[in-house]
Amino acid sequence: MAMSDLSASECRAWSQCVLNELRKEFSSLQGTVIDIHAGKRYIEYGLEKGLSDAGAIVRRPLARVVGIGTQCKWYRNQLAVVSRE
């Protein structure tokens, strides 16, 4: 499934489903750091706002990294850092 294949209402329903699943899994999201590695369409229908409203700290490491090639390079660099630790 790609978010680009869904209508706006389906995207909102998907976001709500993700939020509901997280609420079931964790007793509280307050202060929880959540890194979202997804494009804007995955968060713009309520996911990021819902997480923030629940007290989570939302980070989007790739928010300013444009293009799949640049994003892949970012991930390779992160793997290199982790392998050196």
Side-chain angles (χ1 to χ4, degrees):
M1 173 182 81
M3 294 297 275
S4 59
D5 296 334
L6 303 178
S7 68
S9 63
E10 290 171 320
C11 289
R12 282 189 290 278
W14 178 86
S15 293
Q16 190 59 54
C17 181
V18 171
L19 290 167
N20 290 342
E21 289 299 316
L22 288 169
R23 287 184 186 114
K24 278 196 274 187
E25 186 68 28
F26 303 99
S27 58
S28 172
L29 295 175
Q30 184 68 40
T32 302
V33 176
I34 298 178
D35 287 350
I36 298 178
H37 293 262
K40 186 172 105 172
R41 187 151 174 95
Y42 286 82
I43 62 156
E44 66 186 354
Y45 289 96
L47 182 60
E48 185 172 26
K49 182 177 181 337
L51 290 168
S52 294
D53 289 350
I57 300 160
V58 179
R59 301 187 308 189
R60 295 182 51 221
L62 296 175
R64 293 190 175 113
V65 180
V66 179
I68 190 69
T70 309
Q71 291 172 351
C72 288
K73 182 178 179 181
W74 184 90
Y75 284 113
R76 281 192 303 275
N77 289 342
Q78 296 305 304
L79 286 172
V81 168
V82 170
S83 67
R84 287 192 298 256
E85 293 179 352

